[in-house]
């Protein structure tokens, strides 16, 4: 594992933990534990393009574990999809 891989994984973990803490709801265990798997999956295997999110032949990532939904939001943000830092800060907030 390279330093950039570790930094990427740590960034995913910190953002997910911050989201859950700010929401005062849920627990960060699943997104933090899944960060290494998600980093490898999205950097080496998933075929998608945030500039063309409607592209028909894109890969789909289905996350059925609600406890880990912060992970998906963090990944979408870091990959360049239209999920802002403000969206992450408003995770599980009333009227968000």
């Amino acid at each position: 594992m390279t330093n950039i891989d570790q930094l990427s994984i740590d960034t995913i973990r910190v953002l997910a933990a911050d989201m859950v803490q700010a929401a005062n709801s849920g627990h960060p265990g699943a997104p933090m534990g899944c960060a290494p798997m998600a980093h490898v999956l999205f950097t080496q295997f998933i075929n998608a393009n945030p500039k063309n999110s409607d592209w028909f032949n894109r890969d789909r990532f289905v996350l059925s574990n609600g406890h880990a939904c912060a992970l998906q939001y963090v990944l979408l943000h870091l990959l360049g999809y239209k999920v802002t830092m403000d969206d992450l800060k408003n995770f599980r907030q009333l009227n968000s």
Side-chain angles (χ1 to χ4, degrees), residues 20 23 25-27 66-70 87-88 90-94 96:
V20 173
S25 172
H27 54 84
H67 284 52
C69 65
D87 293 330
L88 300 183
N90 289 318
F91 176 70
R92 291 188 179 159
Q93 301 298 315
L94 187 60
S96 65

Side-chain angles (χ1 to χ4, degrees), residues 24-44:
N24 198 26
S25 172
H27 54 84
M32 291 177 71
C34 291
M37 170 275 301
H39 171 68
V40 170
L41 185 65
F42 277 86
T43 59
Q44 298 180 22

Side-chain angles (χ1 to χ4, degrees), residues 12-75:
I12 294 167
R13 287 176 168 158
V14 168
L15 286 173
D18 284 350
M19 288 171 62
V20 173
Q21 181 67 30
N24 198 26
S25 172
H27 54 84
M32 291 177 71
C34 291
M37 170 275 301
H39 171 68
V40 170
L41 185 65
F42 277 86
T43 59
Q44 298 180 22
F45 296 100
I46 294 286
N47 189 12
N49 181 355
K51 293 178 182 166
N52 185 7
S53 59
D54 293 329
W55 172 42
F56 178 76
N57 200 30
R58 71 193 181 279
D59 289 334
R60 274 76 167 177
F61 177 70
V62 178
L63 180 68
S64 64
N65 181 352
H67 284 52
C69 65
L71 173 70
Q72 189 161 8
Y73 291 122
V74 168
L75 291 170

Side-chain angles (χ1 to χ4, degrees), residues 83-91:
V83 177
T84 66
M85 280 300 292
D86 284 337
D87 293 330
L88 300 183
K89 290 176 184 176
N90 289 318
F91 176 70

